[in-house]
Each structure stands twice: as C-alpha cells, then as structure tokens.
Amino acid sequence: MKRKLNLELLAEALICFFLSALLFYALISGKTADYVHPRINGFLWISAAALLVISALLSASCFSPKHNARPSRFLLFAVPVLLALCIPAGTVQSKAVSFENTAGGADSRQKSDVIPDTASSEAGKNASRFVLPGNDENGVITIADGQFADWYRDIGENMNRYEGKTLRFKGQVFRMKEFAKDEMVPVRYAMVCCTADLQPCGILCRGGNSSRYGNGAWVWVTGKIKIEIYENQKMPICYVTKIEKAEKAQKAYIYFTY
Amino acid sequence: MTRIEVVCGFLGSGKTTLIQHILKQDWLQGCRRILILQCEEGKAVWDDSAVKSHSVFLARISSLSEIRPELFSKIRSQLNPDLILVEYNGTWPIEPFLGVRMPKDFRMDQILFCADVSTFDLYWKNAGSLMFSQLSNADAVCVSRCAGAAQTLKATVQSVNRSAAVCMGERAVDRYLTGIFNPKARKEANKWQKIGEAEVSILMAGIFLFFLFLPKDSDLFAAVQSIRMIFLGILIQALPFLLIGSFVSALLQVYVPDEALVRIFTKHRWLGFPLVAALGLVFPVCDCGIVPIASRLVQKGVPLPQATVFLLAAPAVNPVTVLSTLYAFPGQPGYAVCRMILGAFIALAAGFLLSLSKIKSEKVLLTQAAVSCSCACGAGGGTPRHKGRLGRAESVFLAAGQEFLGMGRYVICGSLLCSVVQQAVPPSVFTGSWSAAVSVLLMLLAAFFLSVCSTSNAFIGRSFLNLFPSAAVLGFLVMGPMLDLSNLLMLSGSFQKKFVIRLAAGLLAIGLFVFLLLSMFPEEVPL
C-alpha cells in the first residue's frame, strides 16, 4: 500500500505545510520578534501564504507513485524543529563579535554603540527626531522602554544636549573585564536584522551600588550625564545616584529601523 | 514470498540479454519457480539452454491495460513463483505498474534500467519524457556495453535520479546483480543496513536526550540556547529571501524560453559583463536568494562566466545590501560605495578568469540534462494537473517549492555551522596586533564562516572595525556574500564539488590580492 503514494512529494508537502503553519503561529503570537526584525514580517506573511499554496499543490500531485522515493533525505528539516522543541527560547549571550572583544582596542567603547561617534558631526539632521520627555518634579527625565532606541541614537549623535541632565533609564547589567569595580553598562540588545547581529547598546555608568546586581539583571538607573574622555574617546558617562530592580521590558530587544 | 524485479529501458538496450544473464547465475538455485513477464518482443532471441536448470515460465503482455491487480492475483493462484522478472516495455510509463495493488506477499524489489551508450543520447533527446518516468524510478542503471561517451550518460542519469547506481560494464553489472540476487550477500547487506540505521537512531536519540536533560543553569546550556536563538533567527530571516529566489528561478524556468534568456546575457561581447553585474540592482534579494536564480540561468544555457558574474555581483550591489551598509556605517558612505565597486570588480574579475579558462557549463553542472526534457516534468516529479495557463502557474509553484526545499537543506547546514562558530570561537582569538596580510586573511576566513547574509553581514563586519584595519573589514563585507559557507553548500547542490571548490579558491586568491593591495594604501581609502 505504501508505494501507492510518492512519499518524497508527500514529505515535501508536509514540510511546506508545517513551515507555513509555524510561520502563521509565530506571526500571530508575535514570537517572530524574538528572532528577526519586525521589518521582514510582511515578507514572512507572504511566504507563509505561498508555502501553504505550494503544500496544497504538492499534496495534490503526490498520488503518482514513485519507486525509489527516499523521504529520509528530508530528515534534516527536523533539526531546527527538534532544536526549537528541546531547548526553550532564551537570550543570546553577548557574543564573539560584539561587546567583549575589547582587550586590544583603544577605542573600545565604540563596539557597543551601533552609532559610532564619528557620526556626530553629520547627524544633526536627525536631532529633531527625538523629543526628550519632560522632567518630573525632581528634574529627572525618564526614558520609557519604547523610547530607548531613539534616545540611544540621539545621545550618540548629540551628546551635548544631555550634559548635566539627570536621566532615568532601564537596561540589563552588562560588564566587561576592563571595567572598574563600580562601572557597568545597563544595556538593551539591539536587533538590526536577526538574532545573529544582536548588539548590546547602552552608556557607561559609574558609581552607585551596582555590584549588588549580577550580569543580565534588569535595573532602573538614575544618574547625571557628564561628557568625558574615556579610553581616548569622547562619550557620555552617567554618574549613578540610584539603582533599583526593574521589571523585564515588554519587548526583549530594541529595533533600529532604516 | 514473491519478489518482482523489473528490467526496463528502450528497445535494443539489452533487457533480454540481461534477463538471460540473470537466469544463468548459480544463485537462483534456491528458486522453485521463476516467471518472466515479457511486455515487449525482444531483439535478442531466447536461448532455452540458459533456463533449463530452473522451472522457468514465460508469459507475454501486449498492452499496458493488462497490468492490473487481477493479473497478479491470477499469477499467485496458478503459479505462485518465487521470482518474477518483468521485461518492461520501454515506451510505457512505469507509474501505472507501480500503482497496481499487489497480492499480499508480492513485493516490488528492484527496477533496473538498461541502457546502451551508443543509442542513449539519441533516445534521450527525442523521447526524454518517455524515458524520464522509468529512469527516475530506477534503482540501478545497467550499461553492459560501454564503448563511447559514457560521461554524458552518467551525467544525465545523475541529474534525473541521483540515487541510482550506475553500473558500467559487465563486471559492475554482475557485482550489482550479486548484491540483489545472491541470498547470502543480500542478507549481509540487510544486516549492515540495519546496524547502520540503528547506530544513526541511537546517536540521534542520544543527542536529543542530552539536550533535553542538560542542566538549565550550566554554561553549556546557555551556549546551546544562544546557538538555538541565532540559528532560528538566521533561518527565519533567510526563508522569505530563499523563497523569492526560488520563485524567480521557477518563473524563469517556466515562462522564459532558453534562447531569449541566453540572448539577453550574451548580446554584447564586452559590455555584457558589466550589464550582468548591474542586473543585481533590480533583485532586492539576499545572497541566499541569488543562488537558485544563478543556477537556473546556467541550466537554461547562459554561459558560465556571465552567470558567475551575476551570482557574485548581485549580493554586493543590490539595494538591500547597500542600504544596510549605509546604516551600519553611518556617516561613512565610503564603505557602501567601496563595497559596491569592489564587489562588482571582483565579480567581473572572476567572470573574466572563468571565460579565459573556458570551462564548459555542461562539465560542471549536475542537472543540465533535465533541461532537454519538457518543463512538465520537474526534477522532483511533481506534475501539474491542469493544462495551459493554469498548468503553467501551477508548475511555477511546484518548481519553486521543490527548489526551496532543495536549497533549504543547505541553508540549514550552513546556518547551523555558522551559529555554532559564532558562539564557539572566542573573540580573544581575533585580538592582538596582526600584520596587514594576516588580518586580511583572518577577515576572509571570518567571511567564510560568519557571514550569514549580505544584510546582517554589514553589522557583523562593523564590530570588527576596531580590531582590524578598514581594508580588512571591507574584505569581510565584500567577500562575505560571495564566499560564505551556506552559499557554497547551496552551489554544490547544482554544481560539481570540484568546480565549487575551485571557484572558492579563485575568489579567495582574488580577494586576498585586492584587499592586500588596498591595505598598502590605508590613507587613500576614502572612508
């Protein structure tokens, strides 16, 4: 009985169907945002629809039997599925090509910034894009989760605007080997394309009682911004007055759009 | 139990001779009764002396409609043979036979396709679609007389049916026949196959359990989790682009006639190459989408150098890449400009070298013969059920789907390796002060392993900026989409491995040369 179907085509049709179903599920539940930039969601919707059509057509034509069908050659498609099922979704360790590789660099800070400081001279045109939120009664400017990307870009481009201001922002504690004891960066991970290019973004913080918080802990940091030269580079540094434990941000990553 | 062995192939290809040869062998002693079903009046005359040692029966079938379930149940009740040898008519498609419901203990065993080197090419050109059905279902191709150009035969068989064993010459045929008829050898082979399958499944289960029960707080678990996230991210991100590429490739296959396509690419002798390089501007597709398109171009007869230029230049000059490079290096448009120019230049250089070397595309392609077959029979066997316009649209979807899945396997391999390397290679490997030559070489190596996709490539490249001179980073940007692992794996799906390795080596040499030259003049690079 089993030879009455073309098992290879059947396997292909099933794979296309499951891929399409998975894509629809991930898109509807918003899980794709954990893996890729929302910019390609449109492409993914179209792909899911096209795969559904393909699987319907393939399954319609799999009734012509094939003798030497080897559906096992599609076993490879089980690898991502198994991996996804066995290992729960989690975070990407900051990895080889981003924050940690600083041992040799004089301008080590640059690595963690998606926007290098060389851009500051030219990027004036973007200055008007980000409107600083108003101060509260204590003169503290709070950066909301959704504003982090724009704020981060803005402080890289027009750091003088922030000199002497007191900011409050949220991030995950991130430390490098070269940091002094009271130094750390509250970072958000920025995605540009997919999880392969995640980069930690944040500004250096000094002082406060930050050593209580382990790497990766979510914190609210309040502090005063000063422009200083750090490792041969002009950059904003936050002198912390208060650190408190924070809730995890709703979106795991921040996204830069272009 | 009754085994059915089918011998097929065109008239005069040696089917009768092969059956008589089988009957002469000693290993058939164990068979009580053998039935030969002849669907064709063979050229060779039956030699009764060959069959006297067994009780052999001969039956003739004159039309395809006689092959029905009733025929086999009749055979079972009247004769109940151990072995049925079917000499199948070369002009009948084999699917109706395969679709016949057999009596309980009848089992279709092997399909042997007989071919004669001297007539194969002619038959294939004129009656390819007739032959396709039998050839694509064959377990082995038996060529008893192999004088002449056996290479094209081999290539054709490979392109239609990659899993078939090709037996050239009588000794190879004998060896194959021993494997399937000799009970001892058969038992042994079965045993080893079972052992192999058991080993693979134990290994898989072991890996599965290992990951399932990995302690959740260990460093290894965190690393595996990162690999998983990166791997899935790359896959999801590549999926739409790969699908777009497959659709373009399928559209080219179904709608654009070969000659028109070839004309576009070869119209101008010297202007042709730059035009092809500029063609990438209109394909807003990542590099993984370009590979299926380029492979299709070669299959449709576009000369290899032109197709290679397209393959290499498109990921460097397409708008998505340029935009992402501009964004990754804000305020430094020099990188995007250099990436475009150098990408196009290296692609042109590779194309030029290829056209000098005069490598014929037939020699390096795995699937060229399928072209001569009508487009209705896609290599995977999915055939549209409608005629006319609807049928064409349907075959676009079918071909795109099969192309997508075929290439998808290579993307899975490539991105798995890439994500493992990204996690496993510690960044400290790259730190240190390197000479210009070493840093360029290191960056090109990184391009091979780390370049996921021409879009995210720019951002990964940027993070190398403070470890390496800008010329080396530029090398990573430019060579990444050309050299990276998953691309080369995908290419090896449609080209011979030797060619792919040569291409990669050539590109590496050109890249080294160009970027070493660039790093000699660090001040003159307007970044």
Side-chain angles (χ1 to χ4, degrees):
Chain A
M1 195 53 208
K2 68 177 184 193
R3 288 227 176 72
K4 304 300 175 278
L5 286 176
N6 186 340
L7 291 182
E8 245 168 59
L9 280 183
L10 187 67
E12 289 180 352
L14 282 178
I15 291 170
C16 283
F17 177 75
F18 279 119
L19 263 182
S20 154
L22 268 178
L23 274 184
F24 276 127
Y25 166 71
L27 281 166
I28 290 168
S29 67
K31 283 207 164 65
T32 49
D34 292 344
Y35 299 97
V36 290
H37 194 284
R39 155 170 39 93
I40 74 163
N41 275 4
F43 287 110
L44 288 176
W45 280 108
I46 297 171
S47 305
L51 281 172
L52 200 61
V53 174
I54 289 173
S55 92
L57 290 176
L58 279 175
S59 58
S61 61
C62 75
F63 290 103
S64 149
K66 186 162 164 64
H67 172 65
N68 52 359
R70 281 174 177 73
S72 58
R73 68 197 183 98
F74 292 105
L75 267 182
L76 196 59
F77 284 90
V79 172
V81 177
L82 279 184
L83 205 55
L85 288 180
C86 294
I87 315 283
T91 50
V92 177
Q93 288 181 321
S94 51
K95 25 162 237 296
V97 290
S98 76
F99 219 117
E100 288 166 336
N101 48 359
T102 52
D107 48 351
S108 59
R109 275 293 301 159
Q110 202 183 345
K111 271 183 302 299
S112 62
D113 305 349
V114 161
I115 310 298
D117 292 335
T118 34
S120 51
S121 55
E122 289 202 17
K125 55 182 180 285
N126 289 337
S128 55
R129 225 166 60 182
F130 181 68
V131 183
L132 269 179
N135 321 349
D136 63 5
E137 61 271 23
N138 303 323
V140 178
I141 303 169
T142 301
I143 312 289
D145 285 354
Q147 294 171 316
F148 194 95
D150 287 334
W151 163 73
Y152 177 71
R153 187 186 304 195
D154 194 51
I155 200 170
E157 288 164 358
N158 324 292
M159 56 183 83
N160 293 333
R161 211 178 143 191
Y162 292 86
E163 168 96 70
K165 291 208 166 103
T166 306
L167 295 182
R168 183 166 177 264
F169 51 92
K170 187 201 268 189
Q172 286 174 279
V173 176
F174 188 97
R175 293 186 183 89
M176 293 195 290
K177 277 186 223 136
E178 302 74 33
F179 281 4
K181 250 191 188 160
D182 65 337
E183 287 177 341
M184 62 102 172
V185 180
V187 297
R188 296 292 310 269
Y189 287 86
M191 183 186 286
V192 185
C193 193
C194 66
T195 32
D197 54 35
L198 278 180
Q199 311 195 24
C201 293
I203 61 171
L204 187 66
C205 292
R206 270 190 196 141
N209 203 354
S210 68
S211 53
R212 278 192 300 143
Y213 298 93
N215 281 337
W218 285 91
V219 287
W220 275 111
V221 174
T222 314
K224 204 171 209 174
I225 303 292
K226 280 185 189 162
I227 311 290
E228 283 183 16
I229 305 288
Y230 179 80
E231 308 244 344
N232 301 331
Q233 220 185 341
K234 205 172 104 180
M235 55 190 258
I237 290 176
C238 175
Y239 282 86
V240 179
T241 52
K242 196 166 128 197
I243 298 187
E244 52 207 316
K245 208 174 157 212
E247 288 278 289
K248 203 175 151 193
Q250 213 167 25
K251 283 184 180 165
Y253 312 124
I254 56 174
Y255 305 95
F256 289 117
T257 40
Y258 58 90
Chain B
M1 213 203 37
T2 307
R3 274 163 59 194
I4 304 172
E5 314 282 347
V6 182
V7 178
C8 57
F10 263 31
L11 199 67
S13 57
K15 287 182 300 223
T16 314
T17 320
L18 185 71
I19 290 180
Q20 283 182 333
H21 182 74
I22 292 172
L23 290 176
K24 273 186 210 155
Q25 305 302 317
D26 294 334
W27 357 273
L28 291 190
Q29 294 298 351
C31 294
R32 287 174 296 115
R33 279 190 286 273
I34 299 174
L35 173 70
I36 295 168
L37 277 181
Q38 254 192 321
C39 307
E40 194 169 60
E41 200 72 45
K43 263 189 184 171
V45 188
W46 271 101
D47 174 13
D48 285 333
S49 68
V51 298
K52 63 181 173 214
S53 54
H54 314 281
S55 45
V56 174
F57 302 85
L58 193 69
R60 290 232 159 83
I61 288 172
S62 51
S63 83
L64 188 53
S65 57
E66 282 179 46
I67 299 184
R68 285 141 52 87
E70 291 79 34
L71 173 74
F72 290 95
S73 42
K74 206 171 120 195
I75 289 174
R76 184 170 187 272
S77 59
Q78 290 187 352
L79 206 61
N80 199 15
D82 305 297
L83 181 68
I84 302 178
L85 292 168
V86 183
E87 184 177 348
Y88 202 70
N89 192 313
T91 57
W92 296 350
I94 206 155
E95 280 84 6
F97 183 22
L98 294 175
V100 168
R101 172 172 261 180
M102 292 290 167
K104 216 174 170 187
D105 48 356
F106 277 37
R107 202 165 61 83
M108 180 79 79
D109 188 41
Q110 296 266 319
I111 296 181
L112 306 172
F113 186 88
C114 292
D116 187 327
V117 172
S118 54
T119 55
F120 181 82
D121 278 4
L122 193 72
Y123 282 147
W124 179 249
K125 277 195 187 102
N126 296 318
S129 50
L130 273 179
M131 237 174 178
F132 184 84
S133 149
Q134 299 189 351
L135 190 52
S136 63
N137 281 295
D139 292 291
V141 177
C142 301
V143 188
S144 40
R145 280 156 296 180
C146 57
Q151 211 52 48
T152 39
L153 188 149
K154 255 189 180 167
T156 311
V157 173
Q158 272 229 321
S159 70
V160 174
N161 183 346
R162 281 180 95 165
S163 62
V166 183
C167 307
M168 290 298 214
E170 285 198 28
R171 297 183 80 182
V173 173
D174 266 346
R175 218 175 305 131
Y176 190 80
L177 291 178
T178 315
I180 58 173
F181 286 112
N182 191 343
K184 256 192 202 158
R186 213 180 152 87
K187 230 182 194 169
E188 191 79 354
N190 273 344
K191 195 178 93 191
W192 283 113
Q193 197 188 347
K194 285 225 175 86
I195 289 176
E197 278 167 7
E199 275 172 355
V200 169
S201 36
I202 286 173
L203 193 72
M204 296 263 281
I207 294 174
F208 183 79
L209 287 178
F210 175 71
F211 283 140
L212 207 57
F213 292 110
L214 204 61
K216 298 276 181 290
D217 48 355
S218 65
D219 285 350
L220 188 61
F221 183 79
V224 170
Q225 203 170 36
S226 305
I227 290 174
R228 169 203 191 268
M229 295 302 283
I230 297 173
F231 176 51
L232 291 183
I234 298 172
L235 282 187
I236 296 177
Q237 190 261 149
L239 187 140
F241 293 111
L242 189 60
L243 202 59
I244 292 174
S246 307
F247 266 103
V248 173
S249 155
L251 284 171
L252 286 179
Q253 187 197 7
V254 176
Y255 286 105
V256 184
D258 292 8
E259 302 80 37
L261 201 65
V262 174
R263 221 180 307 127
I264 295 173
F265 276 85
T266 53
K267 210 151 109 201
H268 304 280
R269 184 133 197 265
W270 292 113
L271 204 57
F273 282 98
L275 274 182
V276 172
L279 205 61
L281 280 172
V282 295
F283 281 107
V285 183
C286 256
D287 47 343
C288 48
I290 296 288
V291 178
I293 303 176
S295 307
R296 176 70 61 210
L297 288 179
V298 181
Q299 280 168 23
K300 297 209 81 158
V302 171
L304 200 57
Q306 271 90 341
T308 310
V309 170
F310 175 72
L311 170 78
L312 299 177
V317 301
N318 86 58
V320 180
T321 318
V322 176
L323 262 178
S324 75
T325 317
L326 276 178
Y327 184 70
F329 298 89
Q332 294 159 292
Y335 276 101
V337 175
C338 282
R339 188 178 185 184
M340 274 179 91
I341 293 173
L342 285 173
F345 171 75
I346 288 173
L348 287 175
F352 181 68
L353 285 181
L354 258 181
S355 62
L356 279 187
S357 72
K358 295 216 169 22
I359 297 178
K360 285 263 162 52
S361 46
E362 300 89 64
K363 287 265 167 63
V364 297
L365 213 55
L366 287 179
T367 49
Q368 101 276 8
V371 182
S372 55
C373 187
S374 70
C375 74
C377 54
T383 39
R385 292 164 308 139
H386 301 281
K387 289 267 181 297
R389 223 179 257 174
L390 207 59
R392 286 185 134 192
E394 197 182 343
S395 50
V396 166
F397 275 90
L398 287 176
Q402 293 188 325
E403 183 96 53
F404 170 73
L405 290 177
M407 293 283 174
R409 292 186 301 166
Y410 300 107
V411 175
I412 289 177
C413 287
S415 43
L416 185 58
L417 257 172
C418 173
S419 44
V420 170
V421 169
Q422 228 187 51
Q423 268 300 314
V425 176
S428 51
V429 167
F430 289 111
T431 50
S433 49
W434 307 99
S435 65
V438 178
S439 62
V440 167
L441 192 66
L442 271 179
M443 278 284 83
L444 293 190
L445 268 182
F448 183 71
F449 284 110
L450 287 181
S451 180
V452 185
C453 151
S454 49
T455 321
S456 59
N457 193 11
F459 298 94
I460 296 175
R462 213 198 71 77
S463 55
F464 284 119
L465 204 56
N466 29 14
L467 295 176
F468 292 104
S470 50
V473 173
L474 204 57
F476 177 83
L477 292 186
V478 173
M479 300 308 286
M482 301 186 183
L483 263 180
D484 80 84
L485 197 64
S486 56
N487 268 10
L488 294 180
L489 279 175
M490 277 163 88
L491 277 179
S492 72
S494 17
F495 295 94
Q496 289 187 348
K497 288 195 182 62
K498 213 166 119 194
F499 171 71
V500 177
I501 292 172
R502 268 195 201 164
L503 184 71
L507 280 173
L508 194 65
I510 300 175
L512 264 182
F513 176 73
V514 169
F515 292 105
L516 272 183
L517 212 64
L518 259 185
S519 57
M520 302 272 174
F521 315 101
E523 303 308 317
E524 306 204 359
V525 187
L527 300 175

